């Protein structure tokens, strides 16, 4: 049996603003096994990036706060470690590729200096010569000539900037990589190259990864398991086979698949999910997807559903818990 590297248990996160308290995460439960990739999928505002920032302990000061739950990394609750220890974990054991490579790099420092800063911080025993060799190695590894390390971010294209950000994230061979929509700003050709490179590097270093994305095609290509998020909750989770090949799915997951253009059918419009995600400042008593669900029942509006579990596949929906009760005669 594979060993869990990261396990998040009942995680609740709130953002406090002048106007309202925003309930960003509401009982998230996910885990990542060593050497495996978990895809986090959902609409904007579902809580995917907040989940990653919580793992890194990078929620905005005095605004974001973990109200409940545990984040267990290698048997240690990251929410209980002090700031100094957490700084030693960031970049060394857990690294993050942020969403926008254009703003992730400092414009007044060369790319070599920025990669080198990560290496120096976590490898104080290395001398300057060894650090320079490591910088050269990381740049070559992501397909950029090492002699360009003296250049500045504005001298690189968007795809090359993303490669540099990936080099920084992998410079210390982290055990867990958090990739927050790493290809959103890239064209399709460069996107494919970056994803292939990330997959190759993950295999080389046996790195675990959480990939945050809207693209189910990307998920199918590189993920081992998938968690579908909606309004701060994981509403469906399972292996890649469970999500793409199982007979039953959460209505929201069906809606996501229905929004993907089908190249075999002639159609004039895409098929989006009607409605909008609920106000995160209000916690409804029932299912958060009820207002948009084509299969909504009366119980959905009053009681929050429990998970229907079938082997590795979990669905948080009354539709299946009712079916399960009927099937067992309870």
């Amino acid at each position: 049996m594979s060993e869990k590297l990261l396990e998040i248990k009942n995680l609740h996160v709130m953002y406090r603003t002048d106007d309202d308290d925003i309930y960003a995460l509401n009982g998230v439960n996910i885990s990542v096994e060593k050497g495996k990739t978990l895809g986090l999928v959902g609409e904007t505002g579902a809580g995917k990036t907040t989940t990653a920032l919580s793992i890194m302990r990078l929620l905005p000061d005095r605004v974001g706060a973990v109200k409940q739950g545990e984040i267990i990394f290698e048997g240690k609750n990251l929410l209980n470690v002090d700031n100094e220890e957490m700084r030693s974990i960031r970049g060394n054991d857990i690294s993050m590729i942020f969403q926008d490579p254009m703003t992730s790099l400092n414009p007044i420092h060369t790319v070599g200096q920025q990669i080198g800063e990560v290496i120096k911080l976590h490898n104080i025993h290395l001398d300057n010569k060894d650090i320079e060799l490591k910088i050269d190695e990381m740049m070559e590894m992501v397909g950029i000539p090492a002699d360009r390390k003296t250049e500045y971010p504005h001298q690189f294209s968007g795809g090359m900037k993303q490669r540099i950000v990936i080099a920084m994230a992998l410079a210390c061979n982290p055990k867990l990589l958090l990739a927050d929509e790493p290809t959103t700003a890239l064209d399709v050709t460069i996107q494919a190259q970056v994803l292939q490179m990330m997959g190759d590097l993950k295999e080389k270093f046996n790195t675990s990864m959480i990939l945050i994305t809207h693209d189910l095609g990307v998920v199918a290509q590189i993920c081992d398991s998938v968690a579908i998020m909606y309004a701060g909750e994981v509403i469906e989770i399972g292996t890649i086979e469970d999500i793409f090949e199982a007979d039953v799915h959460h209505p929201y997951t069906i809606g996501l698949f229905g929004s993907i253009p089908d190249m075999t059918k002639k159609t004039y419009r895409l098929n989006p999910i009607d409605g909008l995600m609920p106000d995160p400042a209000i916690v409804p008593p029932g299912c958060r997807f009820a207002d948009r669900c084509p299969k909504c029942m009366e119980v959905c509006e009053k009681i929050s559903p429990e998970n229907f579990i079938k082997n590795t596949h979990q669905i948080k929906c009354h539709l299946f818990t009712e079916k399960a009760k009927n099937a067992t005669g309870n």
Side-chain angles (χ1 to χ4, degrees), residues 155-319:
Q155 296 174 276
F156 294 85
S157 67
M160 296 186 83
K161 287 179 185 176
Q162 189 63 286
R163 290 169 181 262
I164 292 164
V165 170
I166 292 171
M168 292 171 62
L170 294 174
C172 295
N173 301 346
K175 299 171 184 174
L176 176 63
L177 179 65
L178 310 177
D180 188 0
E181 300 187 37
T183 59
T184 298
L186 308 179
D187 64 68
V188 176
T189 303
I190 300 301
Q191 180 185 90
Q193 293 175 3
V194 169
L195 288 172
Q196 180 64 49
M197 181 193 67
M198 288 176 62
D200 293 343
L201 294 176
K202 186 179 82 72
E203 292 296 324
K204 179 177 180 179
F205 296 119
N206 194 34
T207 301
S208 300
M209 181 163 66
I210 295 179
L211 175 66
I212 297 171
T213 181
H214 297 279
D215 193 333
L216 287 166
V218 170
V219 168
Q221 181 181 345
I222 65 174
C223 292
D224 301 293
S225 56
V226 187
I228 308 293
M229 294 192 69
Y230 183 80
E233 297 178 335
V234 175
I235 58 172
E236 184 168 356
I237 189 169
T239 64
I240 197 74
E241 291 81 11
D242 292 332
I243 301 302
F244 282 83
E245 298 178 5
D247 295 329
V248 294
H249 293 291
H250 193 286
Y252 178 66
T253 306
I254 295 173
L256 290 180
F257 279 111
S259 301
I260 301 173
D262 188 341
M263 302 302 292
T264 65
K265 297 179 181 178
K266 185 177 181 179
T267 183
Y268 295 97
R269 294 180 65 87
L270 296 178
N271 185 29
I273 303 171
D274 292 333
L276 298 172
M277 197 175 295
D279 185 347
I282 302 173
V283 180
C287 174
R288 293 197 158 202
F289 189 60
D291 289 345
R292 305 173 70 185
C293 183
K295 298 183 179 181
C296 180
M297 302 176 288
E298 185 177 350
V299 67
C300 300
E301 299 176 348
K302 298 177 180 179
I303 301 173
S304 180
E306 297 179 354
N307 278 327
F308 165 62
I309 302 174
K310 184 178 180 181
N311 299 322
T312 56
H313 195 188
Q314 297 184 32
I315 305 174
K316 189 174 184 179
C317 181
H318 283 299
L319 186 66

Side-chain angles (χ1 to χ4, degrees), residues 109-115 139 148-149 151-153 156 164:
H109 292 292
T110 67
V111 297
Q113 288 173 329
Q114 295 182 64
I115 297 172
M139 292 196 67
R148 296 196 66 183
K149 66 184 178 182
E151 297 181 16
Y152 292 85
F156 294 85
I164 292 164

Side-chain angles (χ1 to χ4, degrees), residues 31-50:
S31 62
V32 184
E33 297 176 353
K34 289 187 176 180
K36 301 295 184 179
T37 298
L38 170 69
L40 282 187
V41 180
E43 293 174 86
T44 298
K48 306 182 300 297
T49 298
T50 295

